[in-house]
Amino acid sequence: MPLDKPYAGIPGTTIFDADQSRKGYWLNQFCMSLMKAENRERFKKDERAYLDEWPMSEDQKLAVMARDLNRCIALGGNIYFLAKIGATDGKSFQQMAGSMTGMSEDAYRDMMVAGGRAATWGREEDKK
């Protein structure tokens, strides 16, 4: 019997809970492998071959190769593990977060310095 998850309906938010952890286990293990220089080099040399060494879903592998971090999160990735991909690519966490919001690094930084986005951000009525 599934647990009641009152947080499941928060718009634009994926909560990394036990279900997400199970779904993304191998994706996150792959990310952690990038902590070793030799693994980063192997990944950069042939991303697909390196990813194929991991029992990840095809969707997870494609999301990694596309650097679609929002999709990686939906597929069970944890942002703190996914940050290893950005670091492998020479990107800062700020650059990664900006790309996830569709903003430039500077626009993202300015938004965060100004206090972040409104809690209503992303709702359909706020896009009008």
Side-chain angles (χ1 to χ4, degrees):
M1 179 166 104
L3 296 174
D4 180 35
K5 296 182 178 182
Y7 55 80
I10 301 170
T13 303
T14 301
I15 305 295
F16 189 78
D17 62 6
D19 289 334
Q20 283 295 100
S21 179
R22 280 188 290 279
K23 185 179 359 177
Y25 180 80
W26 289 112
L27 169 59
N28 293 316
Q29 290 298 303
F30 148 74
C31 290
M32 290 304 291
S33 78
L34 299 177
M35 291 183 66
K36 294 184 176 180
E38 61 268 21
N39 291 339
R40 289 191 299 273
E41 289 306 313
R42 288 180 52 226
F43 176 64
K44 289 194 280 188
K45 182 178 178 185
D46 187 341
E47 291 186 7
R48 184 64 202 215
Y50 189 75
L51 288 168
D52 283 342
E53 295 177 21
W54 297 90
M56 298 162 50
S57 73
E58 183 65 14
D59 283 346
Q60 289 171 328
K61 293 174 185 181
L62 293 173
V64 168
M65 290 187 297
R67 300 307 191 267
D68 186 343
L69 300 178
N70 290 322
R71 182 77 181 131
C72 286
I73 288 173
L75 295 169
N78 179 292
I79 190 59
Y80 298 106
F81 296 137
L82 296 171
K84 309 299 187 261
I85 299 170
T88 297
D89 291 340
K91 296 193 185 259
S92 69
F93 195 84
Q94 184 171 292
Q95 288 171 309
M96 290 176 54
S99 75
M100 293 170 70
T101 61
M103 304 171 109
S104 70
E105 179 185 5
D106 290 341
Y108 178 79
R109 182 197 60 238
D110 293 345
M111 176 194 64
M112 295 306 290
V113 167
R117 62 184 180 210
T120 59
W121 182 86
R123 295 186 328 182
E124 286 304 313
E125 58 267 27
D126 295 321
K127 294 179 182 176
K128 297 174 184 172

